[in-house]
Amino acid sequence: MQSKQTPWWKRAFRAIWEQFKRLNHRFLLTRWFIIIVLLLTLVSVTYLTVIAKTAHVRDLQSNLSRSTVIYDQNGAQAGKLYAQKGTYVNADQISPNLADAITSTEDRNFYHEHGFSMKGYGRAVLLAITNKLTGKNQISGGGSTISQQLAKNTFLSQQQILSRKFKELFISIEIENIYSKKQILTMYMNNAYFGNGVYGVQDASRKYFGMDADELPVQDAAVLAGMLQNPSNNPIDHPEAAKQRRNVVLQLMADNKKIPQSKVKYYQSLPLGTKDTFTVGNNYKYPSYFDAVINEAISKYGLSEKAIMNNGYKIYTNLNQQQQQSFQTDFKDPSLFPQNAADGTKVQAASVALNPKTGGVQAVVGGRNKDVFRGFNRATDIKRQPGSTMKPLAVYAPALENGFKYDSELVNKKLSYGKNHYTPKNINDVYTGKVPMYQALAQSLNAPAVWTLDQIGVNKGYEAVQKFNLPVTKKDDNLALALGGLSTGVSPQQLAGAYTAFANQGRLTKPFYITKIVDSTGKTIVQNNGSTPTQVMSKNTARQMTSMMLGVFNYGTGTTAKPAGYQVAGKTGSTEADNSTDADATRDKWVVGYTPDVVVATWEGFDSTNSEHHLENLSGTGVNSLFKHQMEQILPYTEQHQFKVQDTATMIAAKNSRQNKVTPGGSEWMQKAEELNQKLLNKGTNLTDKAIEKARSFLGF
């Protein structure tokens, strides 16, 4: 009888195997494979060990036991930041029943293992391999001891991937090396989530049972332990599910010898007895400011949001609580804003206040919406056309630096420029032929501003704007720059930062929030007194600009924005709504004003401008009224330093009055005397400023 022929696949396998054995014998493939596996293992273990050693595990207890506190410019506490953190209590303030319930449910071998369970880890690895083979890039749980859960909640993300599981393993071992079992369990119980935005056993005990954590009886401790795997099954929202889970936990406690088996049915028969006495403190009092602090700590100093919210830092800032509170109150007052659009959409706004000497942000509000944690902050995030607020920066300051004077006669005609026949128009379409610079600025005339930029050269205006730290590109190197026609736009904070140079004798300061950060161990990790001011124009130019910009509020476009009883310099601005058929439709309105003590920039407009959503056609007050109200609340609490210059129009009127009183024959001599007097005055002032600077340098100020 003929034997059956060997199947083809067996023959193919034998051939491959024989080929492998020859190659293995020749090239030692098995040994190389073992070496590569060992090398990869060594690299992985080294990498994970470094992660564990650099995770600042020694600071964990102090981090968890403290909230991150924000301090104002005077060192007074302004509020707290916290997430995954409730009221921290020590081990002796927690009922032993709760510790027994949690260990029985979450990690029965907690007291006998060193941070991990081999059986649990094996189960997790098998599940991970299965998920990979089925196309799921996640792990399905398993292997998490209490120490590992603590490591995950405090140092790692919740992303369900295998690499996170191995990091969790090594960090949990490091936790076990440093802390006792009692300390680990206490930290875990204070950091655990119990639903309804409640973290930690103390707040959970108050939220669900109206008592402190050290008062919890067995049945209530079992409820809280049962919520750890599914916090939504809490006794307030889902009482039946909470009760069923409680009864399972009670049996597990009996199995783990923590309560007698004979008592289980008794405890299971008891009602839940829910009582809510938990109150949430309002520690996040200044949302826009605190959001900006967090953003700066992340972007400038490399901290993570999780670390900021949970690591118990002390963050010292430039916050002025009086200014911040007044801003927030104003933004909640609808009488200070135009009416809503026909569909109910609110007119939005944003404001920022800076200390011009340092650049420290003293107050900021990012909108009129309901506050959302780290939401969109219009004061720092928007990019809108600055309109005529650009004229002092791009035109008049560089013009003074290049030979013009505050009373130079500018051409005020409707002219066309360049090959594209760019033709700027005054708002009222009225032209006087000539106009002195100070009047052109105060009345915000467009034609003379563009003419002046053309005279000094567009590039000089462009370079000046760059010096003021505003975001311009080569696309903006054209005459439209005079009227604020930027390719991207600016934020109120950027504009306020630019105007610090006018308030600070020509020295520009950069806006910033944080002055110092101290970690939970008391170590200072950030120290910032602000950047060194940059001299972007001469002191004399800054004085002349202030003199001209006082006129904006005294008789120009900002008269309705002038705070009663105070001298403020600055500029207003607006931009047209291009996509509206209404000729008067406005997209943006701006007011930026300053004294020697504070710079405030305020913007107003819709988030999205169209035919139904633009300014001008809305009744009610506008940005001028808002700015006036803001300054009237802020200025009484500043040092109230006075400008060292007068309004240009006032100086010229006084000069003309003196000239009119002299005899015709003496007028020429009087004029020369006036000019000499002014030169001596300017020279004397400059010498005084230099003397003061030298004295400050000598004394170390």
Side-chain angles (χ1 to χ4, degrees), residues 398-429:
L400 293 178
E401 295 274 273
N402 285 276
F404 279 75
K405 297 179 180 179
Y406 59 81
D407 57 353
S408 293
E409 292 289 326
L410 312 181
V411 172
N412 184 21
K413 296 179 181 179
K414 191 174 182 179
L415 302 174
S416 295
Y417 300 87
K419 295 179 180 179
N420 62 347
H421 302 291
Y422 175 59
T423 309
K425 296 188 296 183
N426 292 335
I427 296 297
N428 56 8
D429 211 19

PDB file of all heavy atoms in Angstrom, residues 398-429:
ATOM      1  N   PRO A 398       7.502 108.348  15.122  1.00  0.00           N
ATOM      2  CA  PRO A 398       8.659 108.356  14.214  1.00  0.00           C
ATOM      3  C   PRO A 398       8.816 109.675  13.456  1.00  0.00           C
ATOM      4  O   PRO A 398       9.936 110.054  13.107  1.00  0.00           O
ATOM      5  CB  PRO A 398       8.377 107.192  13.253  1.00  0.00           C
ATOM      6  CG  PRO A 398       6.945 106.846  13.421  1.00  0.00           C
ATOM      7  CD  PRO A 398       6.580 107.238  14.805  1.00  0.00           C
ATOM      8  N   ALA A 399       7.704 110.391  13.215  1.00  0.00           N
ATOM      9  CA  ALA A 399       7.818 111.698  12.550  1.00  0.00           C
ATOM     10  C   ALA A 399       8.576 112.687  13.437  1.00  0.00           C
ATOM     11  O   ALA A 399       9.455 113.428  12.959  1.00  0.00           O
ATOM     12  CB  ALA A 399       6.426 112.242  12.226  1.00  0.00           C
ATOM     13  N   LEU A 400       8.259 112.718  14.730  1.00  0.00           N
ATOM     14  CA  LEU A 400       8.986 113.592  15.659  1.00  0.00           C
ATOM     15  C   LEU A 400      10.451 113.205  15.739  1.00  0.00           C
ATOM     16  O   LEU A 400      11.331 114.058  15.892  1.00  0.00           O
ATOM     17  CB  LEU A 400       8.350 113.533  17.044  1.00  0.00           C
ATOM     18  CG  LEU A 400       6.940 114.121  17.200  1.00  0.00           C
ATOM     19  CD1 LEU A 400       6.445 113.922  18.625  1.00  0.00           C
ATOM     20  CD2 LEU A 400       6.912 115.600  16.830  1.00  0.00           C
ATOM     21  N   GLU A 401      10.723 111.918  15.649  1.00  0.00           N
ATOM     22  CA  GLU A 401      12.105 111.441  15.693  1.00  0.00           C
ATOM     23  C   GLU A 401      12.863 111.809  14.419  1.00  0.00           C
ATOM     24  O   GLU A 401      14.096 111.749  14.389  1.00  0.00           O
ATOM     25  CB  GLU A 401      12.135 109.922  15.873  1.00  0.00           C
ATOM     26  CG  GLU A 401      11.576 109.438  17.195  1.00  0.00           C
ATOM     27  CD  GLU A 401      12.604 109.427  18.310  1.00  0.00           C
ATOM     28  OE1 GLU A 401      13.310 108.425  18.461  1.00  0.00           O
ATOM     29  OE2 GLU A 401      12.696 110.443  19.028  1.00  0.00           O
ATOM     30  N   ASN A 402      12.128 112.172  13.366  1.00  0.00           N
ATOM     31  CA  ASN A 402      12.758 112.458  12.080  1.00  0.00           C
ATOM     32  C   ASN A 402      12.525 113.899  11.622  1.00  0.00           C
ATOM     33  O   ASN A 402      12.364 114.175  10.438  1.00  0.00           O
ATOM     34  CB  ASN A 402      12.233 111.487  11.021  1.00  0.00           C
ATOM     35  CG  ASN A 402      12.829 110.100  11.168  1.00  0.00           C
ATOM     36  OD1 ASN A 402      13.916 109.808  10.682  1.00  0.00           O
ATOM     37  ND2 ASN A 402      12.089 109.225  11.865  1.00  0.00           N
ATOM     38  N   GLY A 403      12.488 114.816  12.580  1.00  0.00           N
ATOM     39  CA  GLY A 403      12.522 116.223  12.232  1.00  0.00           C
ATOM     40  C   GLY A 403      11.211 116.978  12.302  1.00  0.00           C
ATOM     41  O   GLY A 403      11.198 118.214  12.269  1.00  0.00           O
ATOM     42  N   PHE A 404      10.095 116.305  12.375  1.00  0.00           N
ATOM     43  CA  PHE A 404       8.820 117.004  12.514  1.00  0.00           C
ATOM     44  C   PHE A 404       8.675 117.543  13.937  1.00  0.00           C
ATOM     45  O   PHE A 404       9.328 117.075  14.872  1.00  0.00           O
ATOM     46  CB  PHE A 404       7.658 116.063  12.196  1.00  0.00           C
ATOM     47  CG  PHE A 404       7.374 115.895  10.727  1.00  0.00           C
ATOM     48  CD1 PHE A 404       8.207 115.117   9.928  1.00  0.00           C
ATOM     49  CD2 PHE A 404       6.278 116.506  10.138  1.00  0.00           C
ATOM     50  CE1 PHE A 404       7.955 114.945   8.577  1.00  0.00           C
ATOM     51  CE2 PHE A 404       6.017 116.344   8.781  1.00  0.00           C
ATOM     52  CZ  PHE A 404       6.853 115.570   7.998  1.00  0.00           C
ATOM     53  N   LYS A 405       7.762 118.515  14.106  1.00  0.00           N
ATOM     54  CA  LYS A 405       7.445 119.054  15.417  1.00  0.00           C
ATOM     55  C   LYS A 405       5.955 118.887  15.681  1.00  0.00           C
ATOM     56  O   LYS A 405       5.174 118.646  14.763  1.00  0.00           O
ATOM     57  CB  LYS A 405       7.833 120.523  15.501  1.00  0.00           C
ATOM     58  CG  LYS A 405       9.333 120.769  15.332  1.00  0.00           C
ATOM     59  CD  LYS A 405       9.647 122.253  15.414  1.00  0.00           C
ATOM     60  CE  LYS A 405      11.147 122.498  15.239  1.00  0.00           C
ATOM     61  NZ  LYS A 405      11.480 123.946  15.280  1.00  0.00           N
ATOM     62  N   TYR A 406       5.591 119.024  16.955  1.00  0.00           N
ATOM     63  CA  TYR A 406       4.189 118.818  17.310  1.00  0.00           C
ATOM     64  C   TYR A 406       3.244 119.797  16.616  1.00  0.00           C
ATOM     65  O   TYR A 406       2.069 119.528  16.433  1.00  0.00           O
ATOM     66  CB  TYR A 406       3.985 118.888  18.832  1.00  0.00           C
ATOM     67  CG  TYR A 406       4.396 120.196  19.466  1.00  0.00           C
ATOM     68  CD1 TYR A 406       3.562 121.298  19.436  1.00  0.00           C
ATOM     69  CD2 TYR A 406       5.626 120.317  20.114  1.00  0.00           C
ATOM     70  CE1 TYR A 406       3.938 122.502  20.027  1.00  0.00           C
ATOM     71  CE2 TYR A 406       6.008 121.505  20.702  1.00  0.00           C
ATOM     72  CZ  TYR A 406       5.162 122.594  20.659  1.00  0.00           C
ATOM     73  OH  TYR A 406       5.523 123.783  21.242  1.00  0.00           O
ATOM     74  N   ASP A 407       3.765 120.971  16.192  1.00  0.00           N
ATOM     75  CA  ASP A 407       2.908 121.941  15.512  1.00  0.00           C
ATOM     76  C   ASP A 407       3.244 122.062  14.028  1.00  0.00           C
ATOM     77  O   ASP A 407       2.838 123.024  13.367  1.00  0.00           O
ATOM     78  CB  ASP A 407       3.005 123.311  16.184  1.00  0.00           C
ATOM     79  CG  ASP A 407       4.433 123.849  16.226  1.00  0.00           C
ATOM     80  OD1 ASP A 407       5.360 123.092  15.854  1.00  0.00           O
ATOM     81  OD2 ASP A 407       4.601 125.014  16.634  1.00  0.00           O
ATOM     82  N   SER A 408       3.988 121.077  13.501  1.00  0.00           N
ATOM     83  CA  SER A 408       4.288 121.089  12.065  1.00  0.00           C
ATOM     84  C   SER A 408       2.993 121.037  11.261  1.00  0.00           C
ATOM     85  O   SER A 408       2.048 120.323  11.622  1.00  0.00           O
ATOM     86  CB  SER A 408       5.169 119.900  11.680  1.00  0.00           C
ATOM     87  OG  SER A 408       6.454 120.014  12.252  1.00  0.00           O
ATOM     88  N   GLU A 409       2.972 121.796  10.156  1.00  0.00           N
ATOM     89  CA  GLU A 409       1.798 121.805   9.297  1.00  0.00           C
ATOM     90  C   GLU A 409       1.809 120.568   8.393  1.00  0.00           C
ATOM     91  O   GLU A 409       2.749 120.345   7.641  1.00  0.00           O
ATOM     92  CB  GLU A 409       1.774 123.075   8.444  1.00  0.00           C
ATOM     93  CG  GLU A 409       1.537 124.354   9.233  1.00  0.00           C
ATOM     94  CD  GLU A 409       0.105 124.456   9.750  1.00  0.00           C
ATOM     95  OE1 GLU A 409      -0.814 123.974   9.057  1.00  0.00           O
ATOM     96  OE2 GLU A 409      -0.085 125.002  10.849  1.00  0.00           O
ATOM     97  N   LEU A 410       0.744 119.766   8.498  1.00  0.00           N
ATOM     98  CA  LEU A 410       0.613 118.562   7.679  1.00  0.00           C
ATOM     99  C   LEU A 410      -0.405 118.814   6.575  1.00  0.00           C
ATOM    100  O   LEU A 410      -1.375 119.562   6.759  1.00  0.00           O
ATOM    101  CB  LEU A 410       0.158 117.373   8.532  1.00  0.00           C
ATOM    102  CG  LEU A 410       0.901 117.131   9.852  1.00  0.00           C
ATOM    103  CD1 LEU A 410       0.328 115.908  10.554  1.00  0.00           C
ATOM    104  CD2 LEU A 410       2.400 116.973   9.621  1.00  0.00           C
ATOM    105  N   VAL A 411      -0.194 118.168   5.439  1.00  0.00           N
ATOM    106  CA  VAL A 411      -1.130 118.315   4.323  1.00  0.00           C
ATOM    107  C   VAL A 411      -2.404 117.530   4.627  1.00  0.00           C
ATOM    108  O   VAL A 411      -2.352 116.331   4.922  1.00  0.00           O
ATOM    109  CB  VAL A 411      -0.496 117.827   3.007  1.00  0.00           C
ATOM    110  CG1 VAL A 411      -1.534 117.786   1.888  1.00  0.00           C
ATOM    111  CG2 VAL A 411       0.661 118.737   2.616  1.00  0.00           C
ATOM    112  N   ASN A 412      -3.529 118.208   4.558  1.00  0.00           N
ATOM    113  CA  ASN A 412      -4.833 117.598   4.842  1.00  0.00           C
ATOM    114  C   ASN A 412      -5.687 117.678   3.578  1.00  0.00           C
ATOM    115  O   ASN A 412      -6.624 118.471   3.473  1.00  0.00           O
ATOM    116  CB  ASN A 412      -5.505 118.324   6.013  1.00  0.00           C
ATOM    117  CG  ASN A 412      -6.830 117.674   6.407  1.00  0.00           C
ATOM    118  OD1 ASN A 412      -7.070 116.508   6.111  1.00  0.00           O
ATOM    119  ND2 ASN A 412      -7.681 118.443   7.071  1.00  0.00           N
ATOM    120  N   LYS A 413      -5.284 116.864   2.604  1.00  0.00           N
ATOM    121  CA  LYS A 413      -6.006 116.819   1.330  1.00  0.00           C
ATOM    122  C   LYS A 413      -6.296 115.368   0.960  1.00  0.00           C
ATOM    123  O   LYS A 413      -5.613 114.453   1.404  1.00  0.00           O
ATOM    124  CB  LYS A 413      -5.164 117.461   0.227  1.00  0.00           C
ATOM    125  CG  LYS A 413      -4.877 118.936   0.410  1.00  0.00           C
ATOM    126  CD  LYS A 413      -4.021 119.464  -0.725  1.00  0.00           C
ATOM    127  CE  LYS A 413      -3.711 120.947  -0.537  1.00  0.00           C
ATOM    128  NZ  LYS A 413      -2.838 121.465  -1.640  1.00  0.00           N
ATOM    129  N   LYS A 414      -7.302 115.205   0.120  1.00  0.00           N
ATOM    130  CA  LYS A 414      -7.650 113.874  -0.361  1.00  0.00           C
ATOM    131  C   LYS A 414      -6.718 113.523  -1.517  1.00  0.00           C
ATOM    132  O   LYS A 414      -6.921 113.955  -2.657  1.00  0.00           O
ATOM    133  CB  LYS A 414      -9.114 113.839  -0.804  1.00  0.00           C
ATOM    134  CG  LYS A 414      -9.656 112.445  -1.064  1.00  0.00           C
ATOM    135  CD  LYS A 414     -11.149 112.524  -1.349  1.00  0.00           C
ATOM    136  CE  LYS A 414     -11.755 111.156  -1.560  1.00  0.00           C
ATOM    137  NZ  LYS A 414     -13.215 111.259  -1.810  1.00  0.00           N
ATOM    138  N   LEU A 415      -5.674 112.754  -1.222  1.00  0.00           N
ATOM    139  CA  LEU A 415      -4.647 112.428  -2.199  1.00  0.00           C
ATOM    140  C   LEU A 415      -4.620 110.930  -2.471  1.00  0.00           C
ATOM    141  O   LEU A 415      -5.033 110.121  -1.634  1.00  0.00           O
ATOM    142  CB  LEU A 415      -3.277 112.881  -1.690  1.00  0.00           C
ATOM    143  CG  LEU A 415      -3.125 114.369  -1.351  1.00  0.00           C
ATOM    144  CD1 LEU A 415      -1.756 114.614  -0.730  1.00  0.00           C
ATOM    145  CD2 LEU A 415      -3.319 115.228  -2.589  1.00  0.00           C
ATOM    146  N   SER A 416      -4.078 110.585  -3.655  1.00  0.00           N
ATOM    147  CA  SER A 416      -3.895 109.178  -4.008  1.00  0.00           C
ATOM    148  C   SER A 416      -2.403 108.876  -4.058  1.00  0.00           C
ATOM    149  O   SER A 416      -1.596 109.717  -4.479  1.00  0.00           O
ATOM    150  CB  SER A 416      -4.534 108.872  -5.367  1.00  0.00           C
ATOM    151  OG  SER A 416      -5.942 109.031  -5.310  1.00  0.00           O
ATOM    152  N   TYR A 417      -2.048 107.633  -3.637  1.00  0.00           N
ATOM    153  CA  TYR A 417      -0.643 107.253  -3.534  1.00  0.00           C
ATOM    154  C   TYR A 417      -0.394 105.944  -4.280  1.00  0.00           C
ATOM    155  O   TYR A 417      -1.216 105.016  -4.239  1.00  0.00           O
ATOM    156  CB  TYR A 417      -0.236 107.066  -2.076  1.00  0.00           C
ATOM    157  CG  TYR A 417      -0.408 108.298  -1.221  1.00  0.00           C
ATOM    158  CD1 TYR A 417      -1.634 108.567  -0.597  1.00  0.00           C
ATOM    159  CD2 TYR A 417       0.634 109.188  -1.024  1.00  0.00           C
ATOM    160  CE1 TYR A 417      -1.799 109.690   0.201  1.00  0.00           C
ATOM    161  CE2 TYR A 417       0.482 110.318  -0.227  1.00  0.00           C
ATOM    162  CZ  TYR A 417      -0.743 110.561   0.375  1.00  0.00           C
ATOM    163  OH  TYR A 417      -0.904 111.682   1.163  1.00  0.00           O
ATOM    164  N   GLY A 418       0.762 105.895  -4.938  1.00  0.00           N
ATOM    165  CA  GLY A 418       1.215 104.649  -5.535  1.00  0.00           C
ATOM    166  C   GLY A 418       0.455 104.208  -6.759  1.00  0.00           C
ATOM    167  O   GLY A 418      -0.503 104.842  -7.208  1.00  0.00           O
ATOM    168  N   LYS A 419       0.905 103.077  -7.269  1.00  0.00           N
ATOM    169  CA  LYS A 419       0.306 102.529  -8.481  1.00  0.00           C
ATOM    170  C   LYS A 419      -1.125 102.053  -8.266  1.00  0.00           C
ATOM    171  O   LYS A 419      -1.928 102.030  -9.199  1.00  0.00           O
ATOM    172  CB  LYS A 419       1.166 101.371  -8.994  1.00  0.00           C
ATOM    173  CG  LYS A 419       2.560 101.802  -9.456  1.00  0.00           C
ATOM    174  CD  LYS A 419       3.367 100.602  -9.936  1.00  0.00           C
ATOM    175  CE  LYS A 419       4.758 101.030 -10.388  1.00  0.00           C
ATOM    176  NZ  LYS A 419       5.572  99.866 -10.838  1.00  0.00           N
ATOM    177  N   ASN A 420      -1.429 101.654  -7.027  1.00  0.00           N
ATOM    178  CA  ASN A 420      -2.794 101.183  -6.764  1.00  0.00           C
ATOM    179  C   ASN A 420      -3.731 102.312  -6.352  1.00  0.00           C
ATOM    180  O   ASN A 420      -4.880 102.069  -5.982  1.00  0.00           O
ATOM    181  CB  ASN A 420      -2.778 100.089  -5.689  1.00  0.00           C
ATOM    182  CG  ASN A 420      -2.243 100.607  -4.363  1.00  0.00           C
ATOM    183  OD1 ASN A 420      -1.665 101.699  -4.305  1.00  0.00           O
ATOM    184  ND2 ASN A 420      -2.435  99.827  -3.303  1.00  0.00           N
ATOM    185  N   HIS A 421      -3.214 103.550  -6.403  1.00  0.00           N
ATOM    186  CA  HIS A 421      -4.025 104.741  -6.116  1.00  0.00           C
ATOM    187  C   HIS A 421      -4.721 104.647  -4.749  1.00  0.00           C
ATOM    188  O   HIS A 421      -5.911 104.899  -4.622  1.00  0.00           O
ATOM    189  CB  HIS A 421      -5.071 104.963  -7.215  1.00  0.00           C
ATOM    190  CG  HIS A 421      -4.467 105.128  -8.579  1.00  0.00           C
ATOM    191  ND1 HIS A 421      -3.727 106.235  -8.934  1.00  0.00           N
ATOM    192  CD2 HIS A 421      -4.474 104.294  -9.665  1.00  0.00           C
ATOM    193  CE1 HIS A 421      -3.307 106.087 -10.195  1.00  0.00           C
ATOM    194  NE2 HIS A 421      -3.745 104.917 -10.657  1.00  0.00           N
ATOM    195  N   TYR A 422      -3.924 104.285  -3.752  1.00  0.00           N
ATOM    196  CA  TYR A 422      -4.458 104.226  -2.379  1.00  0.00           C
ATOM    197  C   TYR A 422      -4.894 105.628  -1.956  1.00  0.00           C
ATOM    198  O   TYR A 422      -4.090 106.575  -1.962  1.00  0.00           O
ATOM    199  CB  TYR A 422      -3.391 103.677  -1.436  1.00  0.00           C
ATOM    200  CG  TYR A 422      -3.774 103.687   0.023  1.00  0.00           C
ATOM    201  CD1 TYR A 422      -4.900 103.002   0.478  1.00  0.00           C
ATOM    202  CD2 TYR A 422      -2.996 104.370   0.964  1.00  0.00           C
ATOM    203  CE1 TYR A 422      -5.244 103.003   1.823  1.00  0.00           C
ATOM    204  CE2 TYR A 422      -3.326 104.382   2.309  1.00  0.00           C
ATOM    205  CZ  TYR A 422      -4.456 103.694   2.723  1.00  0.00           C
ATOM    206  OH  TYR A 422      -4.811 103.702   4.047  1.00  0.00           O
ATOM    207  N   THR A 423      -6.180 105.797  -1.598  1.00  0.00           N
ATOM    208  CA  THR A 423      -6.744 107.121  -1.311  1.00  0.00           C
ATOM    209  C   THR A 423      -7.410 107.125   0.055  1.00  0.00           C
ATOM    210  O   THR A 423      -8.593 106.766   0.192  1.00  0.00           O
ATOM    211  CB  THR A 423      -7.776 107.522  -2.380  1.00  0.00           C
ATOM    212  OG1 THR A 423      -7.201 107.368  -3.682  1.00  0.00           O
ATOM    213  CG2 THR A 423      -8.228 108.967  -2.199  1.00  0.00           C
ATOM    214  N   PRO A 424      -6.686 107.514   1.095  1.00  0.00           N
ATOM    215  CA  PRO A 424      -7.306 107.574   2.432  1.00  0.00           C
ATOM    216  C   PRO A 424      -8.265 108.754   2.532  1.00  0.00           C
ATOM    217  O   PRO A 424      -8.038 109.815   1.941  1.00  0.00           O
ATOM    218  CB  PRO A 424      -6.105 107.767   3.360  1.00  0.00           C
ATOM    219  CG  PRO A 424      -5.083 108.438   2.501  1.00  0.00           C
ATOM    220  CD  PRO A 424      -5.267 107.902   1.117  1.00  0.00           C
ATOM    221  N   LYS A 425      -9.343 108.552   3.289  1.00  0.00           N
ATOM    222  CA  LYS A 425     -10.353 109.599   3.461  1.00  0.00           C
ATOM    223  C   LYS A 425     -10.540 109.896   4.941  1.00  0.00           C
ATOM    224  O   LYS A 425     -10.502 108.987   5.781  1.00  0.00           O
ATOM    225  CB  LYS A 425     -11.690 109.150   2.858  1.00  0.00           C
ATOM    226  CG  LYS A 425     -11.660 108.940   1.349  1.00  0.00           C
ATOM    227  CD  LYS A 425     -13.060 108.677   0.804  1.00  0.00           C
ATOM    228  CE  LYS A 425     -13.635 107.383   1.366  1.00  0.00           C
ATOM    229  NZ  LYS A 425     -14.961 107.085   0.778  1.00  0.00           N
ATOM    230  N   ASN A 426     -10.760 111.175   5.251  1.00  0.00           N
ATOM    231  CA  ASN A 426     -11.158 111.533   6.610  1.00  0.00           C
ATOM    232  C   ASN A 426     -12.570 111.018   6.869  1.00  0.00           C
ATOM    233  O   ASN A 426     -13.371 110.862   5.934  1.00  0.00           O
ATOM    234  CB  ASN A 426     -11.103 113.047   6.810  1.00  0.00           C
ATOM    235  CG  ASN A 426      -9.674 113.576   6.761  1.00  0.00           C
ATOM    236  OD1 ASN A 426      -8.727 112.840   7.033  1.00  0.00           O
ATOM    237  ND2 ASN A 426      -9.529 114.853   6.414  1.00  0.00           N
ATOM    238  N   ILE A 427     -12.885 110.791   8.116  1.00  0.00           N
ATOM    239  CA  ILE A 427     -14.179 110.223   8.466  1.00  0.00           C
ATOM    240  C   ILE A 427     -15.334 111.074   7.930  1.00  0.00           C
ATOM    241  O   ILE A 427     -16.300 110.559   7.366  1.00  0.00           O
ATOM    242  CB  ILE A 427     -14.303 110.066   9.999  1.00  0.00           C
ATOM    243  CG1 ILE A 427     -13.252 109.066  10.502  1.00  0.00           C
ATOM    244  CG2 ILE A 427     -15.706 109.595  10.384  1.00  0.00           C
ATOM    245  CD1 ILE A 427     -13.396 107.663   9.971  1.00  0.00           C
ATOM    246  N   ASN A 428     -15.225 112.382   8.081  1.00  0.00           N
ATOM    247  CA  ASN A 428     -16.302 113.272   7.619  1.00  0.00           C
ATOM    248  C   ASN A 428     -16.107 113.727   6.172  1.00  0.00           C
ATOM    249  O   ASN A 428     -16.896 114.530   5.657  1.00  0.00           O
ATOM    250  CB  ASN A 428     -16.426 114.484   8.537  1.00  0.00           C
ATOM    251  CG  ASN A 428     -15.106 115.249   8.655  1.00  0.00           C
ATOM    252  OD1 ASN A 428     -14.149 114.958   7.940  1.00  0.00           O
ATOM    253  ND2 ASN A 428     -15.075 116.228   9.558  1.00  0.00           N
ATOM    254  N   ASP A 429     -15.047 113.247   5.542  1.00  0.00           N
ATOM    255  CA  ASP A 429     -14.728 113.588   4.154  1.00  0.00           C
ATOM    256  C   ASP A 429     -14.542 115.098   3.964  1.00  0.00           C
ATOM    257  O   ASP A 429     -14.841 115.644   2.896  1.00  0.00           O
ATOM    258  CB  ASP A 429     -15.813 113.069   3.210  1.00  0.00           C
ATOM    259  CG  ASP A 429     -15.235 112.698   1.839  1.00  0.00           C
ATOM    260  OD1 ASP A 429     -14.005 112.495   1.755  1.00  0.00           O
ATOM    261  OD2 ASP A 429     -16.008 112.642   0.868  1.00  0.00           O
TER     262      ASP A 429
END
